[in-house]
Amino acid sequence: MKKKLAAVAMFAASAMALSACGGSGEPAAPPTDTTPATGESTPAGEATAQDITFWLIGGDTPQPLRDYLISEYKEVNGGALTIEEQTWGDIISKLTTSMPDAANTPDVTEIGNTQSPTFTNVGAFADISDMYQELGGDKLLQSFVEVGAVEGKNFTLPYYFGSRYMFYRKDVWQEAGVEVPKTLDEFNAAVKTITEKNPRNISDFSGFFLGGQDWRNGISWVFANGGDLAKFENGAWVSTLSDPNTIKGLEQLQDIQKNASMAPSTARDTSPWLYINDSDAAKDAEGNVEAETSLAAATIMAPNWAHWSIGDLVKNDAGEDAREWNADKFGTFVLPGNDGNPAPVFAGGSNLGISAASQNQEGARDLLRIIFSAEYQTMLGENGLGPANSDYVTALGDDEFAQAQIASSSNSKLTPAAPGWAAVEASMALEEFFAKVADGGDIAALAAEYDAKLTPMLNGS
């Protein structure tokens, strides 16, 4: 942990390729010692008043929740909380530049879960291990906890989660005579059967639309078979694409992409819902067709918020095109694993951390106490954001989307907590690898080739 925060700069120039972040910029000179700070915890309500700044990324946190944090912080600490919204497009650049500088660092910041390892490993965040139990302990989403930890110490903790599950055409599945699967093998067989039967006789029809470069969904087959992308052994990170369990998952994935998905090998996880909607057209007041989409897949895998883009095309109250969920036509289910329980899926969402360079450690800790309180965790759920603490996931509601989100996240996983993970994503090497698998390449040979490429990147080389 004695590395300099300036090491993050090596990733900033190529960060545009990351799934939720990017940008460029030259880092400010790092402090002499960036070892994470550990502060004495002051009981809630007894902290010295401190004015602090909190960086949120994007607009996922609604204004009422921001207002609550500002007013509650004033009540608890006595200081002023300033919330500044950043963009995913340049967050790595801004954090790289600002965090080493005590005069410009945010006191607390949101950070993408896959971005967290790079910053925790170079000393960007304060050690909050002594707050772990107070803020929720083992009830916190553990896959997010793990990417924010280094050598058994906690530096970032989960803020909110989203999860991936299946959206499917009930009507098409019924026409193909296929039932919702209970195991992964049943799912693999079902989507191949639907593709073969193609009950609507649609050209380029997919029983399951899965882009060749879509590794974020594709890794579920790797995880479900006990494989992984990398592991830490003998003091270093090692790419594990050649692991027999990983190979088994990739073989299943390749079979699906050959026999169930007509998605191009160049396709990523971008807007898969476009392929599951009907060709029903929205019409204006005079009956003129204004927009049209085309059914091309019976099943897609997408984050929980995709349901807003799935359904019959209608006009909303503002006269704009919108999608209206039709429960007779569309449905959801969680990808099952080999044992019938939810398969491990890649979880989306964010973590939170206190800047090691912050001069307001106690105020920052007070803000974390508020965020991890029962009141705020409940507010997150009520606004469709998966609460970090499992005690409050019921706040998400009880409709099919909430239930699928909760169930699919119960066994979720994240990318390896390696210091060089940002470089791996920025290199697009995983997109290349999974596309070559989808194209029918020799999996064992490809795995060995990309293990050799990825292992140095994982360790920051």
Side-chain angles (χ1 to χ4, degrees), residues 165-451:
Y165 51 85
M166 297 295 169
F167 294 87
Y168 76 111
R169 287 294 298 258
K170 288 182 178 179
D171 51 355
V172 177
W173 277 58
Q174 290 169 356
E175 291 165 16
V178 178
E179 298 182 350
V180 173
K182 295 183 174 59
T183 67
L184 187 61
D185 284 342
E186 288 181 6
F187 174 85
N188 297 342
V191 293
K192 288 190 288 184
T193 297
I194 296 169
T195 306
E196 180 181 359
K197 290 189 174 182
N198 190 1
R200 302 276 178 97
N201 194 28
I202 299 170
S203 61
D204 296 326
F205 177 74
S206 299
F208 174 42
F209 187 93
L210 182 66
Q213 292 190 19
D214 183 5
W215 63 268
R216 292 176 179 83
N217 283 320
I219 54 175
S220 293
W221 278 259
V222 171
F223 292 158
N225 284 284
D228 214 330
L229 296 177
K231 63 181 178 180
F232 188 76
E233 61 180 14
N234 300 322
W237 283 92
V238 179
S239 177
T240 55
L241 297 176
S242 297
D243 181 270
N245 292 327
T246 301
I247 295 290
K248 181 179 179 180
L250 291 170
E251 289 173 343
Q252 290 183 1
L253 188 65
Q254 188 179 65
D255 181 45
I256 288 174
Q257 288 168 323
K258 177 182 178 181
N259 298 300
S261 177
M262 297 299 111
S265 61
T266 56
R268 303 178 191 172
D269 57 339
T270 305
S271 306
W273 46 84
L274 296 175
Y275 305 99
I276 198 174
N277 287 315
D278 267 334
S279 58
D280 297 335
K283 298 181 179 181
D284 61 20
E286 286 73 39
N288 299 312
V289 173
E290 293 187 333
E292 189 169 344
T293 58
S294 179
L295 172 65
T299 319
I300 64 168
M301 188 174 186
N304 54 287
W305 54 79
H307 77 268
W308 296 111
S309 300
I310 297 172
D312 295 331
L313 192 59
V314 299
K315 290 293 185 181
N316 62 20
D317 293 340
E320 301 167 332
D321 289 343
R323 290 287 171 183
E324 185 176 81
W325 184 264
N326 182 340
D328 293 328
K329 186 182 294 184
F330 300 93
T332 64
F333 63 88
V334 175
L335 179 68
N338 291 318
D339 58 0
N341 292 317
V345 296
F346 175 60
S350 296
N351 277 24
L352 295 171
I354 297 173
S355 171
S358 168
Q359 302 300 299
N360 302 304
Q361 294 289 317
E362 289 310 318
R365 285 169 167 247
D366 277 343
L367 179 60
L368 290 190
R369 293 186 180 101
I370 295 167
I371 290 172
F372 288 91
S373 69
E375 292 79 9
Y376 192 77
Q377 291 290 299
T378 299
M379 292 172 71
L380 285 171
E382 291 173 346
N383 283 272
L385 301 172
N389 190 315
S390 61
D391 279 351
Y392 307 104
V393 294
T394 55
L396 287 165
D398 57 5
D399 61 25
E400 65 179 299
F401 312 114
Q403 294 306 307
Q405 181 178 359
I406 293 168
S408 60
S409 67
S410 66
N411 198 21
S412 65
K413 289 191 67 171
L414 290 180
T415 50
W421 186 255
V424 170
E425 289 200 16
S427 73
M428 305 292 284
L430 288 176
E431 281 83 357
E432 293 175 6
F433 172 76
F434 275 79
K436 290 177 180 178
V437 169
D439 276 335
D442 184 315
I443 293 176
L446 287 169
E449 175 187 349
Y450 278 82
D451 278 341

Side-chain angles (χ1 to χ4, degrees), residues 108-176:
V108 180
T109 186
E110 178 181 1
I111 187 169
N113 50 28
T114 63
Q115 300 163 351
S116 189
T118 293
F119 285 86
T120 56
N121 276 278
V122 294
F125 292 108
D127 184 349
I128 52 174
S129 302
D130 60 326
M131 298 187 76
Y132 176 69
Q133 293 299 330
E134 178 186 357
L135 299 181
D138 293 344
K139 293 182 178 179
L140 299 177
L141 189 60
Q142 289 303 298
S143 57
F144 285 50
V145 171
E146 289 168 6
V147 296
V150 178
E151 297 177 355
K153 296 181 179 180
N154 303 108
F155 297 96
T156 70
L157 294 175
Y159 180 33
Y160 65 84
F161 72 86
S163 195
R164 299 161 189 264
Y165 51 85
M166 297 295 169
F167 294 87
Y168 76 111
R169 287 294 298 258
K170 288 182 178 179
D171 51 355
V172 177
W173 277 58
Q174 290 169 356
E175 291 165 16

Side-chain angles (χ1 to χ4, degrees), residues 61-124:
T61 302
Q63 190 60 46
L65 274 66
R66 302 180 189 212
D67 294 341
Y68 175 84
L69 291 176
I70 291 170
S71 62
E72 192 68 11
Y73 182 77
K74 182 68 174 178
E75 178 71 21
V76 169
N77 180 276
L81 169 63
T82 299
I83 296 177
E84 297 180 358
E85 183 172 315
Q86 309 299 327
T87 64
W88 287 110
D90 63 1
I91 189 59
I92 283 188
S93 174
K94 294 200 71 171
L95 288 174
T96 301
T97 302
S98 301
M99 289 193 74
D101 183 357
N104 292 297
T105 184
D107 298 289
V108 180
T109 186
E110 178 181 1
I111 187 169
N113 50 28
T114 63
Q115 300 163 351
S116 189
T118 293
F119 285 86
T120 56
N121 276 278
V122 294

